[in-house]
Amino acid sequence: MSEQPLTEAEQRIARRYPPPRIPRAAWWIAGGLLIPVLVAGWLWIATSQANRAVTASVHTFEIADDRVDAVITVQRPDPSRAATCEVFAQAVNFERVGEISAPVPPSTRTSDTIAVTIQTYRRATAIDVGDCTIVD
C-alpha cells in the first residue's frame, strides 16, 4: 500500500512540530535506569539517619538577658559511652545568638537530663538541640 502525500495543512503542521531529537524509547530507558538509583539513594539516606546513636530534646529552658538556662534530655542505647550535644539559642528572627557543645558523661541510665547554660550576645527566644554524637 502506498503512502499518500501530505496535504498542505499536514505539511505545515509537520514543519511546526518536528519529531523529537531524542526518541521516546531513550527517555524510557533513562528513566528505567535513573529511578532505581534514586530510590536506592533515598532508602540509604532514610535508613542511615533513622537510627541515630544519640538523640536529645529540650526539656525546659529559661531565658535571661544574656544567657539561656536549659535542661536537655539525652537518650542513647549505650549509656556507658560519653557523648556531646550541640545546643544553640535562637533570636526571634531564627539567627543563632549562642551555642555550646554540651558534654554528656557516661552513666547507667539510657535517658539522662543535662543542665546547660548558653551565653548569648543578643536576647534569645528559643533553644534547640542540634547533632549529638558519641565521643570516642
Side-chain angles (χ1 to χ4, degrees), residues 46-120:
T47 56
S48 68
Q49 295 297 317
N51 298 320
R52 305 199 86 157
V54 181
T55 59
S57 61
V58 177
H59 187 66
T60 62
F61 68 95
E62 185 176 331
I63 298 171
D65 286 336
D66 62 346
R67 74 175 199 282
V68 178
D69 298 319
V71 176
I72 62 171
T73 303
V74 180
Q75 296 175 340
R76 54 195 160 164
D78 184 7
S80 65
R81 298 179 68 187
T84 63
C85 290
E86 300 299 323
V87 185
F88 57 91
Q90 292 178 319
V92 69
N93 64 349
F94 303 107
E95 176 187 4
R96 286 190 180 187
V97 293
E99 61 184 69
I100 63 164
S101 181
V104 182
S107 76
T108 58
R109 298 180 310 234
T110 58
S111 180
D112 284 328
T113 55
I114 307 296
V116 296
T117 298
I118 303 172
Q119 294 297 322
T120 60

